[in-house]
Amino acid sequence: MKILVDRERCTGHGRCNTLAPDVYEPDDDGYCQEQVAPVPLALVERARIGAANCPEDAITVIDD
């Protein structure tokens, strides 16, 4: 599984980081960036939850 973040759509709400801090983290400006790529199997469900809760749909989950 891979995660792509559309930096132009992300507005920095931080829901992804709140729900999955082991997968997503804010950059210096507060916008989402991938922390782990590819996502380890143990974090797949957390990654999906973080992506599903993005209000801008800025996160795309790509299954391998």
Side-chain angles (χ1 to χ4, degrees):
M1 164 192 244
K2 296 178 189 172
I3 297 169
L4 298 177
V5 177
D6 184 337
R7 302 267 306 161
E8 297 205 11
R9 293 179 84 173
C10 177
T11 60
H13 280 106
R15 290 181 187 171
C16 58
N17 174 255
T18 299
L19 295 168
D22 293 335
V23 180
Y24 306 101
E25 69 177 20
D27 64 12
D28 292 338
D29 297 318
Y31 295 94
C32 180
Q33 63 182 3
E34 297 98 2
Q35 183 176 358
V36 179
V39 178
L41 191 57
L43 298 176
V44 166
E45 187 60 28
R46 302 304 301 165
R48 290 186 193 285
I49 290 169
N53 283 277
C54 177
E56 291 84 20
D57 292 324
I59 302 171
T60 302
V61 174
I62 301 171
D63 291 311
D64 292 333

